[in-house]
Amino acid sequence: MIRICTHGFVFAYRYGLSSSMDAMVIVAIAWLYVVLMMSITEHTAVAGVMTFLFYGALPLTIVLYLMGTPQRKRNRQLAEKNKAAAAQAATAGESPLSTAKDQDLTTP
C-alpha cells in the first residue's frame, strides 16, 4: 500500500501534478460516482439524465474551472515572461533559449 502511494507521489512530481490537484481529481470522480448512482435510482430515464447533468456534471465543471483559474493565470504570466525574454534576446542578438529559464508551472 505504501509503495503504491509513493509511486503516485513520484508520478505527480515527475509530471508536474500537485497533491492538491490529485485530491481534486479524486473528489471529482467520487462526486460523479455518487451522482451516477443517484441518477440510476430515478423513476424515468429523463429524470436520471437531468439529475446527472444538473446535479453532477454542470456544477462539477464550474467548480473545476474556478479551481483551475490560478494555474491558468500562472501559465499566462509565464508565457508573457518568456515572450518578453525572447524579444529582449532577439534585440540583443542572443538565442531565446539561452536566456529563458525553465520554470515549474505547478508552484505558485
Side-chain angles (χ1 to χ4, degrees):
M1 182 76 173
I2 295 173
R3 177 89 170 135
I4 293 171
C5 292
T6 305
H7 178 68
F9 289 125
V10 170
F11 177 81
Y13 176 74
R14 183 176 295 162
Y15 294 104
L17 299 174
S18 65
S19 60
S20 63
M21 180 64 140
D22 292 340
M24 189 167 57
V25 169
I26 290 171
V27 168
I29 291 170
W31 179 249
L32 282 179
Y33 176 77
V34 168
V35 172
L36 178 68
M37 292 298 118
M38 289 172 52
S39 65
I40 287 173
T41 62
E42 292 290 339
H43 293 290
T44 64
V46 174
V49 169
M50 298 300 277
T51 298
F52 185 77
L53 290 178
F54 291 119
Y55 195 63
L58 183 65
L60 189 62
T61 55
I62 292 170
V63 168
L64 290 177
Y65 177 78
L66 292 175
M67 296 291 287
T69 300
Q71 181 65 41
R72 286 192 306 274
K73 182 179 178 182
R74 285 191 297 269
N75 291 346
R76 186 175 54 247
Q77 289 172 346
L78 182 63
E80 290 171 358
K81 187 184 297 184
N82 287 341
K83 186 177 178 181
Q88 183 180 11
T91 58
E94 297 177 1
S95 170
L97 295 176
S98 64
T99 58
K101 296 179 181 176
D102 293 334
Q103 296 182 359
D104 187 15
L105 295 177
T106 60
T107 57

XYZ file of all heavy atoms in Angstrom:
824
model
N 0.820 -1.193 0.000
C 0.000 0.000 0.000
C 0.862 1.253 0.000
O 0.597 2.170 -0.730
C -0.916 -0.050 1.229
C -1.842 1.106 1.312
S -3.156 0.896 0.138
C -4.180 2.241 0.573
N 1.890 1.269 0.822
C 2.758 2.437 0.871
C 3.496 2.603 -0.443
O 3.680 3.700 -0.926
C 3.733 2.330 2.064
C 2.953 2.379 3.367
C 4.770 3.429 2.016
C 3.781 2.117 4.585
N 3.886 1.498 -1.038
C 4.598 1.538 -2.319
C 3.736 2.197 -3.395
O 4.209 2.996 -4.173
C 4.988 0.121 -2.731
C 5.661 0.038 -4.050
C 7.142 0.201 -3.857
N 7.799 -0.120 -5.114
C 8.755 0.603 -5.620
N 9.203 1.646 -4.978
N 9.310 0.281 -6.745
N 2.459 1.879 -3.418
C 1.556 2.461 -4.413
C 1.421 3.964 -4.180
O 1.474 4.750 -5.112
C 0.178 1.775 -4.360
C 0.324 0.329 -4.821
C -0.831 2.502 -5.235
C -0.912 -0.502 -4.612
N 1.263 4.364 -2.929
C 1.137 5.790 -2.621
C 2.413 6.536 -2.988
O 2.360 7.621 -3.536
C 0.822 5.985 -1.144
S -0.818 5.407 -0.687
N 3.562 5.950 -2.684
C 4.832 6.580 -3.029
C 4.956 6.729 -4.534
O 5.391 7.757 -5.032
C 6.011 5.755 -2.481
O 5.824 5.591 -1.093
C 7.324 6.423 -2.758
N 4.546 5.697 -5.264
C 4.599 5.773 -6.726
C 3.702 6.893 -7.240
O 4.054 7.589 -8.178
C 4.184 4.431 -7.335
C 4.164 4.445 -8.825
N 5.320 4.551 -9.571
C 3.144 4.409 -9.711
C 5.006 4.560 -10.857
N 3.686 4.469 -10.962
N 2.549 7.092 -6.611
C 1.659 8.174 -7.016
C 2.286 9.537 -6.817
O 2.165 10.426 -7.649
N 3.007 9.713 -5.698
C 3.668 10.983 -5.456
C 4.806 11.211 -6.442
O 5.016 12.318 -6.907
C 4.196 11.063 -4.021
C 3.112 11.198 -2.993
C 3.018 10.316 -1.950
C 2.175 12.212 -3.086
C 2.016 10.438 -1.004
C 1.170 12.349 -2.156
C 1.085 11.451 -1.114
N 5.540 10.146 -6.766
C 6.617 10.259 -7.753
C 6.026 10.616 -9.109
O 6.531 11.479 -9.818
C 7.432 8.953 -7.829
C 8.387 8.964 -8.999
C 8.180 8.734 -6.527
N 4.931 9.969 -9.475
C 4.264 10.274 -10.740
C 3.799 11.722 -10.753
O 3.992 12.438 -11.735
C 3.071 9.332 -10.934
C 2.284 9.614 -12.177
C 2.712 9.141 -13.397
C 1.125 10.373 -12.124
C 1.991 9.405 -14.547
C 0.407 10.647 -13.261
C 0.847 10.155 -14.481
N 3.197 12.177 -9.660
C 2.707 13.551 -9.581
C 3.862 14.544 -9.661
O 3.755 15.572 -10.335
C 1.925 13.765 -8.288
N 4.966 14.249 -9.002
C 6.113 15.155 -9.043
C 6.738 15.171 -10.433
O 7.083 16.219 -10.957
C 7.154 14.719 -8.007
C 8.406 15.551 -8.043
C 8.403 16.843 -7.543
C 9.568 15.053 -8.611
C 9.541 17.616 -7.590
C 10.712 15.819 -8.661
C 10.700 17.099 -8.149
O 11.817 17.862 -8.205
N 6.868 14.016 -11.040
C 7.525 13.922 -12.341
C 6.733 14.654 -13.422
O 7.304 15.289 -14.299
C 7.701 12.462 -12.728
C 8.442 12.282 -14.058
C 8.685 10.847 -14.366
N 9.589 10.285 -13.372
C 9.722 8.993 -13.163
N 9.014 8.134 -13.846
N 10.556 8.554 -12.247
N 5.429 14.560 -13.382
C 4.622 15.164 -14.425
C 4.000 16.490 -14.010
O 3.107 17.002 -14.678
C 3.550 14.186 -14.880
C 4.174 12.998 -15.563
C 4.284 11.776 -14.912
C 4.700 13.105 -16.832
C 4.881 10.702 -15.524
C 5.297 12.043 -17.454
C 5.385 10.834 -16.794
O 5.983 9.773 -17.403
N 4.453 17.060 -12.919
C 4.043 18.405 -12.544
C 2.679 18.508 -11.902
O 2.079 19.571 -11.899
N 2.161 17.419 -11.358
C 0.882 17.476 -10.679
C 1.119 17.680 -9.200
O 2.035 17.119 -8.620
C 0.105 16.176 -10.883
C -0.242 15.820 -12.318
C -0.875 14.447 -12.361
C -1.167 16.838 -12.920
N 0.319 18.492 -8.597
C 0.447 18.694 -7.159
C -0.489 17.737 -6.441
O -1.424 17.200 -7.016
C 0.112 20.132 -6.792
O -1.242 20.387 -7.075
N -0.240 17.538 -5.175
C -1.100 16.638 -4.410
C -2.508 17.211 -4.282
O -3.471 16.471 -4.192
C -0.501 16.366 -3.039
O -0.374 17.570 -2.325
N -2.646 18.539 -4.272
C -3.985 19.126 -4.208
C -4.750 18.861 -5.495
O -5.961 18.672 -5.471
C -3.901 20.625 -3.940
O -3.239 21.276 -4.999
N -4.034 18.824 -6.625
C -4.681 18.508 -7.894
C -5.130 17.052 -7.902
O -6.221 16.739 -8.377
C -3.716 18.773 -9.047
C -4.302 18.483 -10.391
S -5.677 19.569 -10.718
C -5.396 19.922 -12.404
N -4.313 16.162 -7.349
C -4.699 14.764 -7.265
C -5.941 14.601 -6.407
O -6.857 13.861 -6.757
C -3.569 13.925 -6.676
C -2.368 13.843 -7.593
O -2.523 14.092 -8.804
O -1.276 13.535 -7.088
N -5.970 15.289 -5.282
C -7.122 15.198 -4.393
C -8.367 15.750 -5.074
O -9.466 15.204 -4.907
C -6.851 15.955 -3.105
N -8.210 16.803 -5.850
C -9.348 17.397 -6.536
C -9.915 16.426 -7.574
O -11.129 16.297 -7.712
C -8.937 18.711 -7.205
C -10.089 19.493 -7.749
S -9.699 21.183 -8.192
C -8.383 20.986 -9.346
N -9.038 15.724 -8.277
C -9.500 14.763 -9.274
C -10.195 13.592 -8.598
O -11.240 13.124 -9.067
C -8.308 14.290 -10.137
C -8.695 13.115 -10.998
C -7.803 15.430 -10.993
N -9.664 13.124 -7.485
C -10.287 12.015 -6.768
C -11.666 12.414 -6.255
O -12.631 11.651 -6.369
C -9.383 11.543 -5.613
C -8.151 10.854 -6.186
C -10.132 10.604 -4.670
C -7.096 10.546 -5.172
N -11.791 13.614 -5.723
C -13.092 14.089 -5.238
C -14.068 14.237 -6.399
O -15.252 13.901 -6.274
C -12.923 15.417 -4.464
C -14.256 16.078 -4.196
C -12.170 15.173 -3.172
N -13.591 14.714 -7.542
C -14.466 14.873 -8.706
C -14.982 13.520 -9.192
O -16.166 13.374 -9.508
C -13.718 15.591 -9.825
N -14.110 12.530 -9.246
C -14.537 11.194 -9.673
C -15.525 10.615 -8.677
O -16.540 10.016 -9.063
C -13.309 10.283 -9.853
C -12.496 10.742 -11.049
C -13.732 8.823 -10.018
C -11.151 10.075 -11.178
N -15.266 10.794 -7.389
C -16.184 10.292 -6.370
C -17.541 10.980 -6.468
O -18.590 10.328 -6.331
C -15.578 10.489 -4.980
N -17.541 12.278 -6.698
C -18.810 13.003 -6.810
C -19.594 12.521 -8.026
O -20.808 12.324 -7.949
C -18.565 14.505 -6.887
C -19.842 15.279 -7.018
C -20.271 15.968 -8.100
C -20.871 15.402 -6.031
N -21.499 16.531 -7.849
C -21.886 16.190 -6.584
C -21.025 14.917 -4.737
C -23.040 16.500 -5.885
C -22.182 15.237 -4.040
C -23.166 16.019 -4.621
N -18.916 12.321 -9.141
C -19.614 11.814 -10.324
C -20.180 10.413 -10.070
O -21.263 10.076 -10.558
C -18.681 11.801 -11.527
C -18.461 13.157 -12.178
C -17.486 13.029 -13.344
C -19.762 13.749 -12.665
N -19.453 9.601 -9.322
C -19.956 8.270 -8.984
C -21.225 8.368 -8.147
O -22.213 7.676 -8.409
C -18.878 7.470 -8.246
C -19.357 6.119 -7.785
C -19.487 5.072 -8.684
C -19.698 5.902 -6.453
C -19.941 3.838 -8.272
C -20.155 4.670 -6.028
C -20.273 3.639 -6.944
O -20.724 2.423 -6.532
N -21.222 9.229 -7.149
C -22.405 9.397 -6.291
C -23.587 9.892 -7.110
O -24.710 9.388 -6.986
C -22.086 10.366 -5.128
C -23.354 10.786 -4.399
C -21.103 9.741 -4.171
N -23.348 10.868 -7.968
C -24.442 11.410 -8.778
C -24.932 10.370 -9.786
O -26.133 10.285 -10.055
C -23.996 12.710 -9.476
C -25.036 13.190 -10.457
C -23.725 13.781 -8.438
N -24.024 9.567 -10.314
C -24.443 8.495 -11.226
C -25.348 7.501 -10.502
O -26.380 7.085 -11.048
C -23.218 7.780 -11.796
C -23.500 6.612 -12.725
C -24.126 7.124 -14.022
C -22.239 5.833 -13.000
N -24.990 7.139 -9.286
C -25.838 6.225 -8.517
C -27.193 6.862 -8.198
O -28.223 6.185 -8.219
C -25.145 5.821 -7.208
C -23.927 4.953 -7.401
S -24.332 3.392 -8.190
C -23.374 3.517 -9.674
N -27.198 8.163 -7.937
C -28.465 8.854 -7.698
C -29.318 8.868 -8.964
O -30.539 8.685 -8.902
C -28.216 10.286 -7.228
C -27.658 10.398 -5.842
S -27.171 12.071 -5.395
C -28.635 13.008 -5.775
N -28.675 9.108 -10.100
C -29.442 9.188 -11.345
C -29.982 7.829 -11.773
O -31.034 7.753 -12.406
C -28.592 9.805 -12.455
O -27.502 8.970 -12.758
N -29.285 6.760 -11.403
C -29.781 5.423 -11.738
C -31.071 5.119 -10.977
O -31.952 4.424 -11.487
C -28.688 4.369 -11.435
C -27.585 4.478 -12.474
C -29.252 2.960 -11.403
C -26.387 3.623 -12.186
N -31.200 5.658 -9.786
C -32.388 5.365 -8.969
C -33.589 6.236 -9.314
O -34.645 6.065 -8.700
C -32.064 5.530 -7.470
O -31.687 6.888 -7.227
C -30.957 4.590 -7.045
N -33.460 7.151 -10.254
C -34.606 7.976 -10.646
C -35.659 7.110 -11.327
O -35.362 6.056 -11.881
C -34.158 9.100 -11.585
C -33.297 10.143 -10.935
C -34.038 11.021 -9.950
O -35.277 11.123 -10.024
O -33.355 11.612 -9.093
N -36.903 7.601 -11.327
C -38.017 6.822 -11.862
C -38.008 6.740 -13.380
O -38.422 5.731 -13.947
C -39.353 7.409 -11.382
C -39.538 7.253 -9.904
N -39.767 6.040 -9.310
C -39.504 8.160 -8.899
C -39.875 6.206 -8.004
N -39.723 7.495 -7.726
N -37.588 7.790 -14.055
C -37.564 7.767 -15.518
C -36.151 8.068 -16.001
O -35.322 8.618 -15.276
C -38.525 8.819 -16.111
O -38.086 10.120 -15.738
C -39.956 8.596 -15.627
N -35.880 7.718 -17.241
C -34.564 7.966 -17.830
C -34.311 9.460 -17.985
O -33.186 9.929 -17.789
C -34.450 7.268 -19.184
N -35.353 10.208 -18.324
C -35.202 11.656 -18.473
C -34.821 12.290 -17.138
O -33.923 13.141 -17.070
C -36.501 12.286 -19.030
C -36.414 13.802 -19.043
C -36.796 11.747 -20.411
N -35.469 11.864 -16.079
C -35.133 12.385 -14.749
C -33.715 11.990 -14.360
O -32.986 12.775 -13.747
C -36.128 11.873 -13.713
N -33.286 10.794 -14.732
C -31.930 10.358 -14.441
C -30.884 11.177 -15.171
O -29.873 11.577 -14.593
N -31.139 11.460 -16.442
C -30.209 12.280 -17.219
C -30.176 13.699 -16.677
O -29.095 14.296 -16.546
C -30.600 12.260 -18.720
C -29.826 13.301 -19.496
C -30.385 10.879 -19.298
N -31.337 14.247 -16.355
C -31.388 15.603 -15.807
C -30.670 15.665 -14.458
O -29.957 16.635 -14.180
C -32.842 16.071 -15.661
C -33.573 16.137 -16.980
S -32.818 17.247 -18.147
C -33.506 18.759 -17.613
N -30.850 14.646 -13.628
C -30.159 14.613 -12.336
C -28.653 14.578 -12.549
O -27.904 15.315 -11.897
C -30.607 13.385 -11.519
O -31.995 13.492 -11.261
C -29.843 13.289 -10.218
N -28.199 13.730 -13.461
C -26.764 13.616 -13.695
C -26.186 14.921 -14.237
O -25.121 15.368 -13.806
C -26.468 12.475 -14.665
C -25.004 12.238 -14.854
C -24.268 11.581 -13.888
C -24.350 12.696 -15.980
C -22.909 11.374 -14.042
C -22.994 12.495 -16.139
C -22.273 11.831 -15.172
N -26.881 15.545 -15.174
C -26.357 16.769 -15.772
C -26.399 17.953 -14.816
O -25.405 18.662 -14.649
C -27.126 17.105 -17.053
C -26.888 16.177 -18.237
C -27.755 16.605 -19.413
C -25.432 16.169 -18.618
N -27.561 18.180 -14.192
C -27.738 19.391 -13.399
C -27.269 19.256 -11.950
O -27.079 20.262 -11.276
C -29.197 19.851 -13.433
C -29.595 20.365 -14.788
C -30.605 19.755 -15.504
C -28.940 21.444 -15.349
C -30.966 20.230 -16.741
C -29.298 21.926 -16.589
C -30.310 21.313 -17.288
N -27.109 18.043 -11.466
C -26.648 17.856 -10.095
C -25.203 17.381 -10.050
O -24.556 17.469 -9.024
C -27.562 16.853 -9.383
C -27.423 16.849 -7.888
C -27.730 17.972 -7.139
C -26.989 15.716 -7.221
C -27.610 17.972 -5.761
C -26.861 15.703 -5.847
C -27.178 16.832 -5.124
O -27.054 16.818 -3.766
N -24.700 16.898 -11.193
C -23.343 16.366 -11.206
C -22.416 17.066 -12.175
O -21.471 17.738 -11.781
N -22.678 16.908 -13.455
C -21.727 17.351 -14.471
C -21.596 18.876 -14.538
O -20.482 19.403 -14.552
C -22.131 16.793 -15.840
N -22.702 19.575 -14.576
C -22.648 21.038 -14.699
C -21.998 21.706 -13.482
O -21.061 22.494 -13.654
C -24.051 21.597 -14.950
C -24.133 23.102 -15.161
C -23.399 23.494 -16.435
C -25.577 23.554 -15.225
N -22.421 21.411 -12.253
C -21.745 22.039 -11.108
C -20.274 21.641 -10.999
O -19.430 22.454 -10.625
C -22.522 21.533 -9.892
C -23.818 21.088 -10.412
C -23.586 20.644 -11.805
N -19.959 20.411 -11.363
C -18.577 19.953 -11.274
C -17.685 20.676 -12.274
O -16.565 21.061 -11.941
C -18.510 18.443 -11.492
C -17.166 17.805 -11.224
C -16.784 17.984 -9.766
C -17.196 16.341 -11.585
N -18.172 20.906 -13.477
C -17.359 21.637 -14.454
C -17.134 23.081 -14.007
O -16.045 23.622 -14.196
C -18.003 21.619 -15.849
O -19.329 22.120 -15.765
C -18.016 20.230 -16.433
N -18.138 23.683 -13.408
C -17.975 25.057 -12.918
C -16.941 25.103 -11.794
O -16.048 25.958 -11.786
C -19.334 25.633 -12.458
C -20.256 25.824 -13.664
C -19.152 26.948 -11.712
C -21.681 26.152 -13.303
N -17.031 24.177 -10.850
C -16.082 24.154 -9.730
C -14.666 23.881 -10.223
O -13.709 24.541 -9.803
C -16.525 23.117 -8.677
C -15.419 22.850 -7.668
C -17.778 23.588 -7.969
N -14.506 22.918 -11.118
C -13.164 22.609 -11.626
C -12.591 23.775 -12.431
O -11.390 24.039 -12.370
C -13.191 21.337 -12.468
C -13.432 20.046 -11.686
C -13.507 18.867 -12.635
C -12.378 19.833 -10.631
N -13.432 24.474 -13.167
C -12.966 25.646 -13.905
C -12.482 26.735 -12.946
O -11.419 27.324 -13.145
C -14.085 26.188 -14.792
C -13.689 27.441 -15.536
C -12.887 27.367 -16.665
C -14.107 28.689 -15.089
C -12.514 28.520 -17.342
C -13.735 29.836 -15.754
C -12.948 29.749 -16.877
O -12.569 30.897 -17.532
N -13.268 26.990 -11.900
C -12.875 28.012 -10.936
C -11.628 27.615 -10.156
O -10.781 28.453 -9.848
C -14.033 28.304 -9.975
C -15.251 28.978 -10.597
C -16.364 29.109 -9.574
C -14.880 30.322 -11.187
N -11.490 26.336 -9.827
C -10.317 25.877 -9.093
C -9.062 25.907 -9.964
O -7.949 25.994 -9.449
C -10.538 24.459 -8.564
C -11.648 24.358 -7.550
S -11.257 25.152 -6.006
C -10.087 24.005 -5.341
N -9.207 25.838 -11.282
C -8.058 25.870 -12.180
C -7.633 27.270 -12.583
O -6.634 27.430 -13.293
N -8.348 28.286 -12.141
C -8.034 29.660 -12.512
C -6.632 30.095 -12.093
O -5.922 30.698 -12.900
C -9.099 30.612 -11.951
O -10.368 30.240 -12.490
C -8.808 32.054 -12.310
N -6.175 29.815 -10.881
C -4.810 30.243 -10.514
C -3.733 29.614 -11.401
O -2.758 30.287 -11.759
C -4.664 29.786 -9.065
C -6.039 29.690 -8.542
C -6.869 29.280 -9.710
N -3.901 28.355 -11.778
C -2.909 27.711 -12.638
C -2.907 28.349 -14.024
O -1.846 28.563 -14.610
C -3.190 26.210 -12.737
C -2.193 25.475 -13.584
C -0.800 25.507 -12.985
O -0.655 25.354 -11.776
N 0.201 25.709 -13.800
N -4.078 28.659 -14.553
C -4.125 29.314 -15.868
C -3.479 30.686 -15.800
O -2.791 31.108 -16.739
C -5.573 29.427 -16.345
C -6.166 28.117 -16.797
C -7.485 28.317 -17.528
N -8.450 29.078 -16.753
C -9.270 28.551 -15.859
N -9.236 27.272 -15.607
N -10.134 29.306 -15.216
N -3.665 31.397 -14.688
C -3.048 32.716 -14.522
C -1.531 32.588 -14.489
O -0.816 33.371 -15.131
C -3.551 33.362 -13.231
C -3.008 34.747 -12.990
C -3.562 35.338 -11.715
C -2.979 36.711 -11.463
N -3.478 37.285 -10.212
N -1.003 31.586 -13.748
C 0.448 31.381 -13.709
C 0.993 31.010 -15.086
O 2.053 31.488 -15.486
C 0.799 30.287 -12.700
C 0.687 30.738 -11.270
C 1.288 29.731 -10.323
N 0.616 28.442 -10.347
C -0.407 28.115 -9.556
N -0.862 28.975 -8.687
N -0.951 26.920 -9.632
N 0.268 30.182 -15.821
C 0.704 29.813 -17.173
C 0.749 31.030 -18.094
O 1.669 31.176 -18.898
C -0.215 28.749 -17.761
C -0.071 27.415 -17.074
O 0.874 27.176 -16.322
N -1.028 26.536 -17.311
N -0.263 31.890 -18.002
C -0.304 33.089 -18.826
C 0.843 34.032 -18.479
O 1.513 34.574 -19.367
C -1.648 33.794 -18.668
C -1.835 34.980 -19.593
C -3.219 35.596 -19.503
N -3.594 35.947 -18.148
C -4.568 35.368 -17.443
N -5.247 34.375 -17.977
N -4.859 35.751 -16.224
N 1.106 34.225 -17.190
C 2.215 35.090 -16.775
C 3.557 34.527 -17.220
O 4.431 35.280 -17.650
C 2.205 35.274 -15.257
C 1.063 36.127 -14.768
C 0.962 36.149 -13.255
O 1.573 35.344 -12.563
N 0.170 37.081 -12.733
N 3.729 33.223 -17.146
C 4.970 32.601 -17.591
C 5.150 32.762 -19.094
O 6.261 33.040 -19.568
C 4.991 31.126 -17.204
C 6.249 30.359 -17.571
C 7.447 30.936 -16.836
C 6.080 28.893 -17.250
N 4.065 32.615 -19.856
C 4.155 32.790 -21.304
C 4.528 34.232 -21.654
O 5.334 34.466 -22.558
C 2.831 32.411 -21.963
N 3.948 35.194 -20.932
C 4.292 36.598 -21.179
C 5.751 36.879 -20.822
O 6.444 37.602 -21.544
C 3.366 37.512 -20.380
C 1.931 37.522 -20.876
C 0.995 38.261 -19.942
O 1.445 38.731 -18.881
O -0.200 38.356 -20.275
N 6.211 36.285 -19.727
C 7.596 36.468 -19.311
C 8.560 35.861 -20.336
O 9.568 36.471 -20.687
C 7.833 35.832 -17.949
C 9.195 36.130 -17.370
C 9.423 35.386 -16.057
C 8.447 35.834 -15.002
N 8.702 35.190 -13.691
N 8.231 34.687 -20.837
C 9.076 34.051 -21.854
C 9.059 34.833 -23.167
O 10.072 34.925 -23.850
C 8.639 32.615 -22.085
C 9.018 31.709 -20.941
O 9.892 32.037 -20.141
N 8.358 30.570 -20.852
N 7.904 35.388 -23.506
C 7.810 36.185 -24.730
C 8.648 37.456 -24.597
O 9.349 37.841 -25.532
C 6.347 36.542 -24.999
C 6.124 37.250 -26.308
C 4.636 37.498 -26.539
C 4.410 38.236 -27.824
N 2.979 38.500 -28.051
N 8.611 38.087 -23.424
C 9.415 39.283 -23.199
C 10.909 38.944 -23.213
O 11.721 39.694 -23.767
C 9.041 39.931 -21.871
N 11.276 37.796 -22.642
C 12.678 37.377 -22.650
C 13.144 37.064 -24.070
O 14.281 37.383 -24.445
C 12.868 36.167 -21.751
N 12.267 36.486 -24.870
C 12.624 36.184 -26.256
C 12.788 37.465 -27.061
O 13.695 37.581 -27.893
C 11.558 35.292 -26.887
N 11.916 38.437 -26.819
C 12.030 39.718 -27.529
C 13.304 40.447 -27.117
O 13.995 41.026 -27.958
C 10.812 40.578 -27.252
N 13.627 40.400 -25.832
C 14.841 41.046 -25.359
C 16.084 40.341 -25.906
O 17.050 40.990 -26.279
C 14.880 41.034 -23.829
C 16.072 41.757 -23.251
C 16.069 41.711 -21.728
O 15.287 40.974 -21.132
N 16.933 42.487 -21.123
N 16.031 39.023 -25.990
C 17.164 38.276 -26.528
C 17.315 38.524 -28.026
O 18.438 38.554 -28.545
C 16.995 36.791 -26.259
N 16.197 38.711 -28.714
C 16.260 38.972 -30.146
C 16.896 40.333 -30.424
O 17.640 40.495 -31.394
C 14.874 38.904 -30.759
N 16.591 41.317 -29.576
C 17.194 42.634 -29.771
C 18.675 42.622 -29.397
O 19.466 43.377 -29.951
C 16.468 43.704 -28.941
O 16.513 43.347 -27.557
C 15.037 43.849 -29.398
N 19.060 41.747 -28.476
C 20.463 41.657 -28.066
C 21.251 40.706 -28.957
O 22.462 40.621 -28.841
C 20.560 41.207 -26.614
N 20.566 39.967 -29.830
C 21.228 39.045 -30.735
C 21.560 37.703 -30.118
O 22.361 36.948 -30.648
N 20.946 37.353 -28.999
C 21.186 36.074 -28.351
C 20.077 35.098 -28.714
O 19.042 35.468 -29.243
C 21.213 36.253 -26.830
C 22.320 37.128 -26.331
C 22.226 37.325 -24.823
O 21.302 36.754 -24.210
O 23.067 38.040 -24.282
N 20.299 33.841 -28.377
C 19.288 32.817 -28.557
C 18.269 32.938 -27.434
O 18.650 33.073 -26.271
C 19.926 31.435 -28.527
O 18.928 30.449 -28.478
N 16.966 32.896 -27.734
C 15.961 32.997 -26.670
C 16.038 31.837 -25.683
O 15.670 31.976 -24.536
C 14.625 32.995 -27.398
C 14.898 32.943 -28.828
C 16.365 32.834 -29.046
N 16.549 30.701 -26.127
C 16.634 29.549 -25.239
C 17.715 29.731 -24.184
O 17.637 29.182 -23.099
C 16.894 28.273 -26.035
C 15.769 27.873 -26.993
C 16.186 26.645 -27.785
C 14.498 27.613 -26.243
N 18.730 30.512 -24.485
C 19.801 30.683 -23.517
C 19.409 31.642 -22.391
O 19.964 31.582 -21.309
C 21.060 31.210 -24.210
O 20.821 32.502 -24.730
N 18.442 32.523 -22.630
C 18.051 33.475 -21.593
C 16.804 33.037 -20.842
O 16.618 33.403 -19.690
C 17.790 34.860 -22.199
O 16.766 34.746 -23.179
C 19.061 35.424 -22.798
N 15.923 32.279 -21.487
C 14.699 31.835 -20.818
C 15.020 30.655 -19.916
O 15.680 29.716 -20.315
C 13.651 31.431 -21.855
N 14.565 30.733 -18.678
C 14.808 29.672 -17.713
C 13.591 28.763 -17.649
O 12.461 29.203 -17.761
C 15.084 30.258 -16.336
C 16.329 31.093 -16.283
C 16.510 31.650 -14.902
C 17.750 32.509 -14.843
N 17.919 33.156 -13.549
N 13.840 27.469 -17.475
C 12.748 26.533 -17.273
C 12.174 26.748 -15.888
O 12.910 26.821 -14.916
C 13.228 25.101 -17.418
C 13.655 24.776 -18.840
O 13.156 25.428 -19.758
O 14.483 23.877 -18.984
N 10.857 26.860 -15.827
C 10.208 27.095 -14.547
C 9.138 26.036 -14.325
O 8.567 25.515 -15.278
C 9.585 28.477 -14.494
C 10.616 29.589 -14.576
C 9.946 30.944 -14.481
O 8.749 31.036 -14.368
N 10.740 31.983 -14.526
N 8.901 25.748 -13.070
C 7.874 24.794 -12.701
C 6.529 25.487 -12.744
O 6.321 26.515 -12.104
C 8.162 24.256 -11.303
C 7.226 23.137 -10.919
O 6.548 22.597 -11.812
O 7.181 22.801 -9.730
N 5.582 24.948 -13.517
C 4.277 25.578 -13.691
C 3.336 25.298 -12.527
O 2.310 25.948 -12.390
C 3.630 25.089 -14.986
C 4.361 25.480 -16.270
C 3.640 24.855 -17.447
C 4.419 26.962 -16.426
N 3.656 24.334 -11.687
C 2.714 23.969 -10.643
C 2.921 24.722 -9.347
O 2.076 24.689 -8.480
C 2.822 22.448 -10.338
O 4.160 22.180 -9.913
C 2.489 21.650 -11.574
N 4.049 25.401 -9.184
C 4.271 26.140 -7.943
C 3.664 27.528 -8.055
O 3.645 28.127 -9.133
C 5.772 26.257 -7.630
O 6.426 26.883 -8.738
C 6.383 24.888 -7.379
N 3.156 28.065 -6.959
C 2.528 29.396 -7.027
C 3.525 30.501 -7.203
O 4.661 30.465 -7.012
C 1.820 29.538 -5.689
C 2.299 28.445 -4.833
C 2.998 27.430 -5.683
